[in-house]
Each structure stands twice: as structure tokens, then as C-alpha cells.
């Protein structure tokens, strides 16, 4: 009986060990799919096999912040003071994506202009230049901003303005190419066979020369399957901007209930820090009333008569700066009054040339401004009253127009799982 007991215990232990070893077997993932196909059993990366290289995920593009997707109530929570009735509340869901932590600043746009001037025609360079005349006003002395705001070092990290929707999209395309070039070089180096650097003082010069040759090698075009091709930068959609700005992640409980809704990208209905060491300081720069762009000098001042340096005000719960105030921002969508009624409730986006055509509006007789060149901008600016700082509010402007109060930031699709 004693032997039977020992034998039974040993058998149980063997079963448990087998089960444990099976459970520890790692399941294939997108980044580590394994050495062979789980459907056909055929080996990857063989002479005639499908090439599925092990891949270490690249970090997100510079300055991008991961925004976890989810559902939210899109639309204005405020009274419709414009009486447009173009922004009713509705529930939509947004897929996870990346968004710039800050607005594109003057120094970033000057970097783009420098590259364009070297590699493009004079005509394209001229088209890429921001309209600095947006600062000029016959009844204001803003002349210094016309000549200084874009290029003076003191304004380097102020948000770029005077940029049209078309110019903002051109910047996104250039940034995609610039960042992809860097990643392509990384991918080519990763794909090269390691030759094994020699050790010893006599070999240092040879190793340095080889490293320099690898670094300066002209990158070859990589396929999307390699994983080193950067998804394109683009303007955020209206729904993405609103979702990222309101940042409801900071109000949520584990059971999907929310403690409160938000009017602005922060809690409460005031424009000041409600508590803490910085209690009473402004949470954004905006126009407080007729003729009042900042308040009196001192601690009650928001620190900016016009724009202010990026990151000057607290980030929201998504880690994004200036999603209200500083400058309003272009989004990708074409403007239509019924956008919130017509678009899909998943990744809502309004594109031109589809549904509610521009021909339905009487623009020829000047009874309507609606056409396919109108683009939405959001977020409120230094020259706006607090009403426009609510993420749900929306306005529009021609895609070739520019003002001193509208800038932009970029967004990008989030690929794969972050778990």
C-alpha cells in the first residue's frame, strides 16, 4: 500500500509537470510569430519559405504619445451660441492611435523649410512658407510679429501659425519621409550580417572605419512587412482630436463608470488650478473678455498676450499639451453641418466627395459657404474666449486660408498590441 501511495504521488507530479511545461509554452505573437506556421506547419525563413523575421518593435516616432482607444460622447456640452446645430452629442468609439505631445513649433517648421529649400523647387518652397502677414492689422501695431515671430530664436518653441490645412498636410508627408529614412537605415543595419569586430588596439581604426561605412551606407527601400516602415504622419481626425483633448481616462472607474464629464481638457468649470502649490494659476492662455488677453500683470496673468511656448501649461490626462488654448488646430475632416449625424460611430471621419455633396448647398448665389475645401479646426486659441476651448466646439475655414491663431499637430495609427 505504501508503494502504491508513492507511485500515485509520483504519477500526479509527472502530470503536473507536463501541464506546467505546456502552459509555459509561449503563444505566438505578431512580434514573435515562431519558427513555423501554426496553420501549415511549414518553416518560416527557409530557402523557399515565407520570410517572417523576428522583429523588435521600433519606438514610437519622436514626440508621439500613445492614446488608448475607447468610447466617448462626441459633441459640444455647451450651449450652441452660434446656433449652427452642427454638433449634437453622440457616442462613438476610437481606435488607439498616436498624437504629438505638442503643437508643431516654429523651429520644427523651419527644419522642414530648410529641407524643402535644399531638395525641392523654388516654387514649392514658396508655397510652403507660412503667411507671416496674418499678424498684420491696420488698427494694431503687430508689425514686429510679421518679421520676427517665425524666425527669431526667441520664438523658436512657440507654435507655428499662418499655416494652411494644405501646408500642414505637406509637412506631415515630409515628416513621414524624414523619420522613415532614419528607420530604414536602422532596418538595413539590423538585416546586415554581423561581421564581428576584432578586439585589440591595432584593430580599433579598422573597426571605426567599418562602423562609419555602415552608418553612411545608402539605405535601400524596405517592404512594409519588414516592420521598419513608419506609418504615415497625418493630421488627427476631428473625433481623434476631441477624444484625446477631453482625456476622459482621468475620470474613469474600473467598472467603466465615470466620475464626471468634462467641459475642458481638465476637471471643473474654471480656468485656473483649483488646488496645490500652483493654485490659482491659469490652465491655458485665452482671451478672458473684450480687450483682456491675459489679465493684469502678476500671478493672475496667464503669461501670454499672444501665443506661448509649448509645454507652458499643464498637460491633460493623456499627457498632451495645449489641447485647449495657445492656438487652435487643423484636423483632417472636411466640414459639414451634419457630420455628427452622418459619420460612422467607429473611427468617425468626414471625407469630402461622399454623402451630403457640396452641390446640395447654394454657394453660387452666396447663400452658403459649404464646399469641399472647408476644413475643421478645434481647440480654441490665445484670441478666443473660453467657450471655444471646449473640445466639443468646432469651426471651419478654407483649406488654403491661414490665421495667426491656428496651428497644427500630427497623429499616426497605432500598429499591433501594446500588451
Amino acid at each position: 500500500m505504501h508503494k502504491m501511495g508513492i507511485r500515485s504521488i509520483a504519477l500526479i507530479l509527472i502530470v503536473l509537470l507536463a501541464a506546467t511545461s505546456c502552459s509555459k509554452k509561449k503563444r505566438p505573437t505578431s512580434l514573435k510569430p515562431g519558427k513555423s506556421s501554426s496553420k501549415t506547419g511549414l518553416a518560416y525563413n527557409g530557402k523557399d519559405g515565407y520570410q517572417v523575421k523576428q522583429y523588435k518593435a521600433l519606438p514610437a516616432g519622436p514626440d508621439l504619445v500613445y492614446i488608448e482607444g475607447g468610447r466617448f460622447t462626441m459633441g459640444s456640452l455647451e450651449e450652441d451660441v452660434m446656433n449652427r446645430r452642427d454638433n449634437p452629442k453622440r457616442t462613438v468609439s476610437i481606435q488607439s492611435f498616436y498624437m504629438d505631445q505638442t503643437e508643431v513649433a516654429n523651429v520644427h517648421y523651419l527644419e522642414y523649410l530648410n529641407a524643402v529649400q535644399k531638395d525641392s523647387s523654388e516654387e514649392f518652397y514658396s508655397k510652403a512658407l507660412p503667411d507671416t502677414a496674418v499678424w498684420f492689422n491696420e488698427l494694431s501695431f503687430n508689425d514686429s510679429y510679421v518679421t520676427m515671430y517665425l524666425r527669431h530664436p526667441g520664438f523658436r518653441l512657440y507654435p507655428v501659425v499662418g499655416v494652411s490645412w494644405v501646408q500642414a498636410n505637406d509637412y506631415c508627408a515630409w515628416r513621414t519621409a524624414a523619420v522613415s529614412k532614419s528607420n530604414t537605415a536602422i532596418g538595413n543595419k539590423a538585416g546586415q550580417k554581423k561581421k564581428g569586430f576584432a578586439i585589440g588596439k591595432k584593430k580599433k581604426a579598422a573597426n571605426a572605419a567599418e562602423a562609419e561605412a555602415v552608418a553612411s551606407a545608402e539605405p535601400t527601400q524596405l517592404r512594409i512587412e519588414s516592420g521598419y516602415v513608419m506609418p504615415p504622419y497625418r493630421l488627427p481626425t476631428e473625433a481623434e482630436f476631441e477624444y484625446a483633448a477631453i482625456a476622459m481616462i482621468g475620470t474613469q472607474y474600473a467598472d467603466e463608470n465615470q466620475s464626471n464629464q468634462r467641459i475642458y481638457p481638465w476637471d471643473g468649470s474654471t480656468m485656473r488650478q483649483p488646488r496645490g502649490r500652483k493654485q490659482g494659476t491659469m490652465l491655458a492662455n485665452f482671451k478672458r473678455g473684450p480687450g483682456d488677453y491675459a489679465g493684469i500683470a502678476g500671478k493672475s496673468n496667464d503669461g501670454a498676450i499672444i501665443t506661448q511656448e509649448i509645454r507652458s501649461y499643464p498637460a491633460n490626462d493623456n499627457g498632451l499639451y495645449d489641447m485647449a488654448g495657445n492656438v487652435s488646430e487643423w484636423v483632417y475632416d472636411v466640414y459639414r453641418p451634419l457630420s455628427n449625424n452622418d459619420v460612422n460611430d467607429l473611427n468617425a471621419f468626414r471625407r469630402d466627395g461622399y454623402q451630403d455633396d457640396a452641390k446640395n448647398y447654394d454657394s453660387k448665389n452666396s447663400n452658403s459657404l459649404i464646399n469641399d475645401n472647408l476644413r475643421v479646426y478645434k481647440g480654441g486659441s490665445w484670441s478666443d474666449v473660453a467657450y471655444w476651448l471646449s473640445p466639443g466646439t468646432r469651426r471651419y475655414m478654407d483649406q488654403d486660408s491661414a490665421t495667426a491663431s491656428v496651428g497644427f499637430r500630427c497623429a499616426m495609427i497605432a500598429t499591433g498590441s501594446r500588451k
Side-chain angles (χ1 to χ4, degrees), residues 51-70:
Q51 299 300 302
V52 182
K53 301 293 185 182
Q54 298 294 315
Y55 167 66
K56 184 178 181 180
L58 288 172
D63 201 48
L64 291 178
V65 174
Y66 178 75
I67 310 296
E68 183 179 357

Side-chain angles (χ1 to χ4, degrees), residues 106 109-110 113 130 132 145 147-152 155 160:
N106 286 322
Y109 202 84
L110 289 172
L113 291 178
T132 57
Y145 300 138
T147 55
M148 295 288 182
Y149 182 82
L150 175 64
R151 299 183 182 276
H152 194 279
F155 291 110
V160 68

Side-chain angles (χ1 to χ4, degrees), residues 266 270-275 278-283 288 299-301:
W266 52 82
T270 67
M271 312 306 292
R272 298 177 184 272
Q273 287 277 15
R275 61 186 69 87
K278 295 186 177 181
Q279 182 177 1
T281 58
M282 303 301 288
L283 292 165
R288 293 159 47 154
K299 291 186 177 180
S300 65
N301 195 309

